[in-house]
Amino acid sequence: MSEYYWDRKIEYLRNTRCLYYNDDYLEFLVKMVWKINKPVNIIDYGCGFGYLGLKFLPMLPEGSTYTGIDRGNELINTANEIFCKLPYTTEFIMGDIEEIRVERKFDSAMCHAFLLHVTDPVKMLQKMIDSVVDGGRVIAFEPHWTANMSSISMDGLQQSQMIPLGTLQKLYEEDFNRTGKDGNIGIKLPIMLSQLGLKEVECRVSDKVNFLDPNRDLQSKERLFNVLKEEGLGKKTEELQRLTTNLVNRGLTLDEARNQVEAELFFSKQFKMDSYLTYAPNMKITFGTVKR
């Protein structure tokens, strides 16, 4: 079996998830929006190291269970290592999600930043629906990259100097046309869930805004700066030097690619630990009820 890409990105996944949600907002969803007041059985498609389980199990009624599926051997091993020390009922399954047969026994089927990597998200959503009991929910936490990139501001710089949104919008659309994978799927999911027959479909936006503040204590400021860099803000110069050819191969003209690299190089030179910067990933949280 060839090496699985995300098995090599576990530290990235563990370090950057903190950028996306405030815990009190997730708790608000559980208690006030989804009104979960009795134990539930959750299945997480593309679970990685069990991030959603770590977030939600402490908020859910006692007796709730969490099952995760992922094709990454190292990811599943890491999840087992984490959860064996915690007081929750969990199960982790390693294998090809498209091939694994899942019983219709779960109250909620969830995924996080998973559908954007899938070439046939409708087929995967149907698989999620088929694993949920009547009256259960499908819940997807997925990005809208264009909105994501429009939600960065750095003191002293015009956004167009560092983030050419028109070029990025074209790049994301070309990526989708070329690969079938859609980084903007988060904003499309309400339509997709409704077309698949789910009821009471809603979409929320995470309220998390990350603020890099020079006046914060050094430790917290340094940690956020490093996580933002790991997320891809202010790429290293040596990374950008190899970027032009890649962008042309992804559908940009040579001039567009050069302008994009120049903007990212400018951003990387200006972005320091003492910068004033705000970044809102605007993760979309879409959910609907299965009613057969």
Side-chain angles (χ1 to χ4, degrees), residues 25-62:
Y25 185 69
L26 296 179
E27 189 169 13
F28 165 76
L29 290 174
V30 169
K31 295 182 178 179
M32 304 302 294
V33 179
W34 301 329
K35 295 181 172 61
I36 301 175
N37 51 26
K38 61 181 181 179
V40 289
N41 301 316
I42 292 174
I43 184 166
D44 181 3
Y45 287 78
C47 66
F49 63 87
Y51 169 74
L52 289 182
L54 289 172
K55 282 295 177 185
F56 283 115
L57 283 171
M59 302 175 184
L60 294 172
E62 187 176 352

mmCIF file of all heavy atoms in Angstrom, residues 25-62:
data_model
loop_
_atom_site.group_PDB
_atom_site.id
_atom_site.type_symbol
_atom_site.label_atom_id
_atom_site.label_comp_id
_atom_site.label_asym_id
_atom_site.label_seq_id
_atom_site.Cartn_x
_atom_site.Cartn_y
_atom_site.Cartn_z
ATOM 1 N N TYR A 25 -18.827 27.994 21.218
ATOM 2 C CA TYR A 25 -19.750 27.976 20.087
ATOM 3 C C TYR A 25 -20.151 26.547 19.738
ATOM 4 O O TYR A 25 -21.315 26.271 19.434
ATOM 5 C CB TYR A 25 -19.143 28.665 18.861
ATOM 6 C CG TYR A 25 -20.129 28.768 17.713
ATOM 7 C CD1 TYR A 25 -21.228 29.619 17.803
ATOM 8 C CD2 TYR A 25 -19.981 28.003 16.574
ATOM 9 C CE1 TYR A 25 -22.152 29.706 16.768
ATOM 10 C CE2 TYR A 25 -20.907 28.084 15.537
ATOM 11 C CZ TYR A 25 -21.982 28.933 15.634
ATOM 12 O OH TYR A 25 -22.902 29.007 14.622
ATOM 13 N N LEU A 26 -19.197 25.626 19.791
ATOM 14 C CA LEU A 26 -19.530 24.220 19.564
ATOM 15 C C LEU A 26 -20.509 23.725 20.621
ATOM 16 O O LEU A 26 -21.449 22.978 20.320
ATOM 17 C CB LEU A 26 -18.260 23.369 19.564
ATOM 18 C CG LEU A 26 -17.253 23.647 18.435
ATOM 19 C CD1 LEU A 26 -16.030 22.742 18.586
ATOM 20 C CD2 LEU A 26 -17.881 23.465 17.061
ATOM 21 N N GLU A 27 -20.295 24.141 21.860
ATOM 22 C CA GLU A 27 -21.210 23.747 22.929
ATOM 23 C C GLU A 27 -22.601 24.346 22.704
ATOM 24 O O GLU A 27 -23.622 23.703 22.970
ATOM 25 C CB GLU A 27 -20.652 24.188 24.284
ATOM 26 C CG GLU A 27 -21.421 23.630 25.454
ATOM 27 C CD GLU A 27 -20.718 23.852 26.781
ATOM 28 O OE1 GLU A 27 -19.752 24.654 26.823
ATOM 29 O OE2 GLU A 27 -21.125 23.232 27.775
ATOM 30 N N PHE A 28 -22.637 25.567 22.188
ATOM 31 C CA PHE A 28 -23.911 26.194 21.844
ATOM 32 C C PHE A 28 -24.648 25.373 20.785
ATOM 33 O O PHE A 28 -25.868 25.167 20.877
ATOM 34 C CB PHE A 28 -23.658 27.617 21.335
ATOM 35 C CG PHE A 28 -24.821 28.249 20.631
ATOM 36 C CD1 PHE A 28 -25.910 28.737 21.350
ATOM 37 C CD2 PHE A 28 -24.844 28.360 19.241
ATOM 38 C CE1 PHE A 28 -26.990 29.316 20.702
ATOM 39 C CE2 PHE A 28 -25.920 28.939 18.594
ATOM 40 C CZ PHE A 28 -26.994 29.414 19.310
ATOM 41 N N LEU A 29 -23.928 24.873 19.784
ATOM 42 C CA LEU A 29 -24.553 24.045 18.756
ATOM 43 C C LEU A 29 -25.139 22.774 19.373
ATOM 44 O O LEU A 29 -26.282 22.392 19.081
ATOM 45 C CB LEU A 29 -23.537 23.684 17.674
ATOM 46 C CG LEU A 29 -23.062 24.817 16.759
ATOM 47 C CD1 LEU A 29 -21.946 24.319 15.832
ATOM 48 C CD2 LEU A 29 -24.199 25.394 15.939
ATOM 49 N N VAL A 30 -24.352 22.126 20.221
ATOM 50 C CA VAL A 30 -24.792 20.872 20.836
ATOM 51 C C VAL A 30 -26.053 21.080 21.681
ATOM 52 O O VAL A 30 -27.032 20.326 21.561
ATOM 53 C CB VAL A 30 -23.667 20.264 21.698
ATOM 54 C CG1 VAL A 30 -24.194 19.117 22.559
ATOM 55 C CG2 VAL A 30 -22.528 19.770 20.806
ATOM 56 N N LYS A 31 -26.047 22.091 22.516
ATOM 57 C CA LYS A 31 -27.109 22.248 23.505
ATOM 58 C C LYS A 31 -28.291 23.080 23.025
ATOM 59 O O LYS A 31 -29.446 22.789 23.373
ATOM 60 C CB LYS A 31 -26.522 22.863 24.784
ATOM 61 C CG LYS A 31 -25.513 21.946 25.463
ATOM 62 C CD LYS A 31 -24.976 22.549 26.747
ATOM 63 C CE LYS A 31 -24.000 21.582 27.436
ATOM 64 N NZ LYS A 31 -23.441 22.142 28.690
ATOM 65 N N MET A 32 -28.042 24.113 22.224
ATOM 66 C CA MET A 32 -29.104 25.044 21.862
ATOM 67 C C MET A 32 -29.633 24.863 20.447
ATOM 68 O O MET A 32 -30.800 25.162 20.184
ATOM 69 C CB MET A 32 -28.601 26.488 22.040
ATOM 70 C CG MET A 32 -28.085 26.797 23.434
ATOM 71 S SD MET A 32 -29.319 26.507 24.737
ATOM 72 C CE MET A 32 -30.528 27.762 24.316
ATOM 73 N N VAL A 33 -28.784 24.405 19.531
ATOM 74 C CA VAL A 33 -29.210 24.253 18.137
ATOM 75 C C VAL A 33 -29.632 22.811 17.865
ATOM 76 O O VAL A 33 -30.752 22.546 17.424
ATOM 77 C CB VAL A 33 -28.094 24.689 17.161
ATOM 78 C CG1 VAL A 33 -28.537 24.491 15.708
ATOM 79 C CG2 VAL A 33 -27.723 26.153 17.400
ATOM 80 N N TRP A 34 -28.737 21.867 18.146
ATOM 81 C CA TRP A 34 -29.062 20.451 17.915
ATOM 82 C C TRP A 34 -29.845 19.845 19.079
ATOM 83 O O TRP A 34 -30.453 18.793 18.927
ATOM 84 C CB TRP A 34 -27.770 19.659 17.672
ATOM 85 C CG TRP A 34 -27.001 20.164 16.493
ATOM 86 C CD1 TRP A 34 -27.511 20.747 15.365
ATOM 87 C CD2 TRP A 34 -25.577 20.153 16.327
ATOM 88 N NE1 TRP A 34 -26.502 21.083 14.506
ATOM 89 C CE2 TRP A 34 -25.298 20.735 15.059
ATOM 90 C CE3 TRP A 34 -24.513 19.706 17.102
ATOM 91 C CZ2 TRP A 34 -24.005 20.888 14.576
ATOM 92 C CZ3 TRP A 34 -23.215 19.853 16.626
ATOM 93 C CH2 TRP A 34 -22.968 20.442 15.371
ATOM 94 N N LYS A 35 -29.814 20.518 20.233
ATOM 95 C CA LYS A 35 -30.584 20.099 21.414
ATOM 96 C C LYS A 35 -30.368 18.616 21.745
ATOM 97 O O LYS A 35 -31.314 17.845 21.916
ATOM 98 C CB LYS A 35 -32.072 20.392 21.215
ATOM 99 C CG LYS A 35 -32.390 21.887 21.108
ATOM 100 C CD LYS A 35 -33.882 22.124 20.940
ATOM 101 C CE LYS A 35 -34.230 23.597 21.037
ATOM 102 N NZ LYS A 35 -33.595 24.426 20.018
ATOM 103 N N ILE A 36 -29.101 18.247 21.839
ATOM 104 C CA ILE A 36 -28.759 16.862 22.178
ATOM 105 C C ILE A 36 -28.790 16.713 23.693
ATOM 106 O O ILE A 36 -27.911 17.213 24.402
ATOM 107 C CB ILE A 36 -27.370 16.487 21.620
ATOM 108 C CG1 ILE A 36 -27.351 16.662 20.095
ATOM 109 C CG2 ILE A 36 -27.009 15.051 21.997
ATOM 110 C CD1 ILE A 36 -25.989 16.437 19.459
ATOM 111 N N ASN A 37 -29.817 16.039 24.213
ATOM 112 C CA ASN A 37 -29.978 15.915 25.660
ATOM 113 C C ASN A 37 -30.028 14.470 26.138
ATOM 114 O O ASN A 37 -30.371 14.192 27.279
ATOM 115 C CB ASN A 37 -31.229 16.672 26.125
ATOM 116 C CG ASN A 37 -32.465 16.282 25.318
ATOM 117 O OD1 ASN A 37 -32.535 15.173 24.780
ATOM 118 N ND2 ASN A 37 -33.424 17.197 25.237
ATOM 119 N N LYS A 38 -29.720 13.538 25.240
ATOM 120 C CA LYS A 38 -29.605 12.135 25.624
ATOM 121 C C LYS A 38 -28.438 11.521 24.856
ATOM 122 O O LYS A 38 -28.009 12.072 23.834
ATOM 123 C CB LYS A 38 -30.906 11.381 25.337
ATOM 124 C CG LYS A 38 -31.309 11.352 23.884
ATOM 125 C CD LYS A 38 -32.626 10.605 23.705
ATOM 126 C CE LYS A 38 -33.026 10.562 22.230
ATOM 127 N NZ LYS A 38 -34.301 9.824 22.038
ATOM 128 N N PRO A 39 -27.888 10.400 25.319
ATOM 129 C CA PRO A 39 -26.703 9.819 24.676
ATOM 130 C C PRO A 39 -26.931 9.559 23.191
ATOM 131 O O PRO A 39 -28.016 9.140 22.774
ATOM 132 C CB PRO A 39 -26.498 8.513 25.445
ATOM 133 C CG PRO A 39 -27.126 8.750 26.772
ATOM 134 C CD PRO A 39 -28.311 9.621 26.506
ATOM 135 N N VAL A 40 -25.906 9.831 22.398
ATOM 136 C CA VAL A 40 -25.970 9.623 20.951
ATOM 137 C C VAL A 40 -24.761 8.807 20.495
ATOM 138 O O VAL A 40 -23.697 8.822 21.130
ATOM 139 C CB VAL A 40 -26.009 10.962 20.187
ATOM 140 C CG1 VAL A 40 -27.336 11.668 20.383
ATOM 141 C CG2 VAL A 40 -24.852 11.865 20.601
ATOM 142 N N ASN A 41 -24.942 8.125 19.381
ATOM 143 C CA ASN A 41 -23.855 7.385 18.743
ATOM 144 C C ASN A 41 -23.444 8.132 17.485
ATOM 145 O O ASN A 41 -24.246 8.351 16.580
ATOM 146 C CB ASN A 41 -24.315 5.966 18.380
ATOM 147 C CG ASN A 41 -24.768 5.190 19.602
ATOM 148 O OD1 ASN A 41 -24.117 5.224 20.641
ATOM 149 N ND2 ASN A 41 -25.896 4.503 19.497
ATOM 150 N N ILE A 42 -22.185 8.532 17.438
ATOM 151 C CA ILE A 42 -21.672 9.358 16.350
ATOM 152 C C ILE A 42 -20.680 8.560 15.518
ATOM 153 O O ILE A 42 -19.850 7.816 16.063
ATOM 154 C CB ILE A 42 -20.973 10.613 16.907
ATOM 155 C CG1 ILE A 42 -22.004 11.542 17.560
ATOM 156 C CG2 ILE A 42 -20.200 11.355 15.820
ATOM 157 C CD1 ILE A 42 -21.381 12.723 18.259
ATOM 158 N N ILE A 43 -20.735 8.740 14.192
ATOM 159 C CA ILE A 43 -19.705 8.202 13.309
ATOM 160 C C ILE A 43 -19.068 9.368 12.568
ATOM 161 O O ILE A 43 -19.768 10.280 12.104
ATOM 162 C CB ILE A 43 -20.264 7.149 12.326
ATOM 163 C CG1 ILE A 43 -19.127 6.557 11.503
ATOM 164 C CG2 ILE A 43 -21.372 7.714 11.445
ATOM 165 C CD1 ILE A 43 -19.491 5.305 10.744
ATOM 166 N N ASP A 44 -17.747 9.343 12.484
ATOM 167 C CA ASP A 44 -16.960 10.429 11.893
ATOM 168 C C ASP A 44 -16.217 9.889 10.668
ATOM 169 O O ASP A 44 -15.341 9.037 10.795
ATOM 170 C CB ASP A 44 -15.986 10.961 12.951
ATOM 171 C CG ASP A 44 -15.134 12.119 12.452
ATOM 172 O OD1 ASP A 44 -15.324 12.567 11.315
ATOM 173 O OD2 ASP A 44 -14.259 12.564 13.234
ATOM 174 N N TYR A 45 -16.576 10.390 9.498
ATOM 175 C CA TYR A 45 -15.961 9.961 8.242
ATOM 176 C C TYR A 45 -14.701 10.799 7.972
ATOM 177 O O TYR A 45 -14.762 12.023 7.949
ATOM 178 C CB TYR A 45 -16.947 10.109 7.088
ATOM 179 C CG TYR A 45 -18.039 9.077 7.109
ATOM 180 C CD1 TYR A 45 -19.125 9.196 7.974
ATOM 181 C CD2 TYR A 45 -17.988 7.970 6.268
ATOM 182 C CE1 TYR A 45 -20.132 8.239 7.998
ATOM 183 C CE2 TYR A 45 -18.991 7.010 6.288
ATOM 184 C CZ TYR A 45 -20.059 7.147 7.149
ATOM 185 O OH TYR A 45 -21.056 6.194 7.182
ATOM 186 N N GLY A 46 -13.562 10.102 7.772
ATOM 187 C CA GLY A 46 -12.284 10.798 7.620
ATOM 188 C C GLY A 46 -11.868 11.406 8.946
ATOM 189 O O GLY A 46 -11.496 12.573 9.029
ATOM 190 N N CYS A 47 -11.916 10.588 9.992
ATOM 191 C CA CYS A 47 -11.786 11.081 11.370
ATOM 192 C C CYS A 47 -10.401 11.590 11.722
ATOM 193 O O CYS A 47 -10.240 12.305 12.714
ATOM 194 C CB CYS A 47 -12.178 9.979 12.350
ATOM 195 S SG CYS A 47 -11.053 8.550 12.360
ATOM 196 N N GLY A 48 -9.363 11.205 10.946
ATOM 197 C CA GLY A 48 -8.014 11.597 11.317
ATOM 198 C C GLY A 48 -7.632 11.040 12.668
ATOM 199 O O GLY A 48 -7.809 9.855 12.944
ATOM 200 N N PHE A 49 -7.134 11.897 13.544
ATOM 201 C CA PHE A 49 -6.735 11.444 14.887
ATOM 202 C C PHE A 49 -7.884 11.544 15.889
ATOM 203 O O PHE A 49 -7.681 11.397 17.095
ATOM 204 C CB PHE A 49 -5.524 12.241 15.388
ATOM 205 C CG PHE A 49 -5.783 13.716 15.573
ATOM 206 C CD1 PHE A 49 -6.288 14.196 16.759
ATOM 207 C CD2 PHE A 49 -5.514 14.614 14.552
ATOM 208 C CE1 PHE A 49 -6.531 15.551 16.943
ATOM 209 C CE2 PHE A 49 -5.743 15.977 14.719
ATOM 210 C CZ PHE A 49 -6.258 16.446 15.917
ATOM 211 N N GLY A 50 -9.107 11.785 15.384
ATOM 212 C CA GLY A 50 -10.270 11.840 16.265
ATOM 213 C C GLY A 50 -10.596 13.222 16.782
ATOM 214 O O GLY A 50 -11.175 13.367 17.862
ATOM 215 N N TYR A 51 -10.291 14.245 15.994
ATOM 216 C CA TYR A 51 -10.482 15.623 16.427
ATOM 217 C C TYR A 51 -11.919 15.906 16.876
ATOM 218 O O TYR A 51 -12.145 16.484 17.952
ATOM 219 C CB TYR A 51 -10.088 16.579 15.295
ATOM 220 C CG TYR A 51 -10.481 18.012 15.525
ATOM 221 C CD1 TYR A 51 -9.790 18.800 16.446
ATOM 222 C CD2 TYR A 51 -11.549 18.588 14.839
ATOM 223 C CE1 TYR A 51 -10.154 20.119 16.664
ATOM 224 C CE2 TYR A 51 -11.916 19.899 15.055
ATOM 225 C CZ TYR A 51 -11.217 20.657 15.967
ATOM 226 O OH TYR A 51 -11.590 21.963 16.186
ATOM 227 N N LEU A 52 -12.904 15.498 16.059
ATOM 228 C CA LEU A 52 -14.291 15.781 16.436
ATOM 229 C C LEU A 52 -14.692 15.059 17.714
ATOM 230 O O LEU A 52 -15.469 15.578 18.519
ATOM 231 C CB LEU A 52 -15.239 15.394 15.294
ATOM 232 C CG LEU A 52 -15.208 16.274 14.048
ATOM 233 C CD1 LEU A 52 -16.229 15.784 13.026
ATOM 234 C CD2 LEU A 52 -15.459 17.741 14.383
ATOM 235 N N GLY A 53 -14.154 13.861 17.911
ATOM 236 C CA GLY A 53 -14.428 13.146 19.151
ATOM 237 C C GLY A 53 -13.880 13.881 20.362
ATOM 238 O O GLY A 53 -14.545 13.994 21.403
ATOM 239 N N LEU A 54 -12.662 14.399 20.228
ATOM 240 C CA LEU A 54 -12.054 15.150 21.326
ATOM 241 C C LEU A 54 -12.863 16.401 21.650
ATOM 242 O O LEU A 54 -12.965 16.799 22.815
ATOM 243 C CB LEU A 54 -10.621 15.540 20.962
ATOM 244 C CG LEU A 54 -9.599 14.409 20.922
ATOM 245 C CD1 LEU A 54 -8.275 14.903 20.358
ATOM 246 C CD2 LEU A 54 -9.388 13.825 22.314
ATOM 247 N N LYS A 55 -13.426 17.014 20.626
ATOM 248 C CA LYS A 55 -14.206 18.227 20.839
ATOM 249 C C LYS A 55 -15.584 17.933 21.439
ATOM 250 O O LYS A 55 -16.010 18.582 22.387
ATOM 251 C CB LYS A 55 -14.378 18.982 19.515
ATOM 252 C CG LYS A 55 -13.155 19.759 19.093
ATOM 253 C CD LYS A 55 -12.871 20.875 20.076
ATOM 254 C CE LYS A 55 -11.614 21.632 19.751
ATOM 255 N NZ LYS A 55 -11.302 22.633 20.804
ATOM 256 N N PHE A 56 -16.278 16.949 20.872
ATOM 257 C CA PHE A 56 -17.688 16.788 21.204
ATOM 258 C C PHE A 56 -17.976 15.850 22.367
ATOM 259 O O PHE A 56 -18.948 16.062 23.101
ATOM 260 C CB PHE A 56 -18.463 16.332 19.964
ATOM 261 C CG PHE A 56 -18.724 17.447 18.997
ATOM 262 C CD1 PHE A 56 -18.154 17.435 17.737
ATOM 263 C CD2 PHE A 56 -19.522 18.516 19.350
ATOM 264 C CE1 PHE A 56 -18.385 18.466 16.843
ATOM 265 C CE2 PHE A 56 -19.762 19.563 18.469
ATOM 266 C CZ PHE A 56 -19.191 19.533 17.215
ATOM 267 N N LEU A 57 -17.197 14.811 22.560
ATOM 268 C CA LEU A 57 -17.522 13.853 23.626
ATOM 269 C C LEU A 57 -17.637 14.508 25.003
ATOM 270 O O LEU A 57 -18.547 14.166 25.772
ATOM 271 C CB LEU A 57 -16.516 12.713 23.640
ATOM 272 C CG LEU A 57 -16.715 11.664 22.529
ATOM 273 C CD1 LEU A 57 -15.534 10.702 22.482
ATOM 274 C CD2 LEU A 57 -18.025 10.901 22.721
ATOM 275 N N PRO A 58 -16.762 15.460 25.365
ATOM 276 C CA PRO A 58 -16.933 16.101 26.674
ATOM 277 C C PRO A 58 -18.208 16.939 26.783
ATOM 278 O O PRO A 58 -18.656 17.243 27.894
ATOM 279 C CB PRO A 58 -15.690 17.004 26.786
ATOM 280 C CG PRO A 58 -14.693 16.414 25.841
ATOM 281 C CD PRO A 58 -15.506 15.881 24.705
ATOM 282 N N MET A 59 -18.798 17.323 25.632
ATOM 283 C CA MET A 59 -19.990 18.162 25.641
ATOM 284 C C MET A 59 -21.279 17.346 25.565
ATOM 285 O O MET A 59 -22.364 17.864 25.850
ATOM 286 C CB MET A 59 -19.967 19.126 24.441
ATOM 287 C CG MET A 59 -18.765 20.025 24.371
ATOM 288 S SD MET A 59 -18.784 20.995 22.836
ATOM 289 C CE MET A 59 -17.202 21.847 22.992
ATOM 290 N N LEU A 60 -21.176 16.090 25.157
ATOM 291 C CA LEU A 60 -22.346 15.253 24.933
ATOM 292 C C LEU A 60 -22.784 14.550 26.213
ATOM 293 O O LEU A 60 -21.981 14.361 27.131
ATOM 294 C CB LEU A 60 -22.042 14.218 23.853
ATOM 295 C CG LEU A 60 -21.799 14.762 22.445
ATOM 296 C CD1 LEU A 60 -21.309 13.661 21.525
ATOM 297 C CD2 LEU A 60 -23.070 15.410 21.891
ATOM 298 N N PRO A 61 -24.041 14.144 26.284
ATOM 299 C CA PRO A 61 -24.517 13.409 27.465
ATOM 300 C C PRO A 61 -23.689 12.146 27.704
ATOM 301 O O PRO A 61 -23.227 11.501 26.746
ATOM 302 C CB PRO A 61 -25.961 13.069 27.105
ATOM 303 C CG PRO A 61 -26.374 14.125 26.129
ATOM 304 C CD PRO A 61 -25.137 14.414 25.331
ATOM 305 N N GLU A 62 -23.516 11.818 28.967
ATOM 306 C CA GLU A 62 -22.764 10.621 29.337
ATOM 307 C C GLU A 62 -23.394 9.386 28.691
ATOM 308 O O GLU A 62 -24.611 9.241 28.651
ATOM 309 C CB GLU A 62 -22.756 10.464 30.856
ATOM 310 C CG GLU A 62 -21.870 9.341 31.356
ATOM 311 C CD GLU A 62 -21.811 9.278 32.863
ATOM 312 O OE1 GLU A 62 -22.331 10.206 33.521
ATOM 313 O OE2 GLU A 62 -21.231 8.303 33.391
#
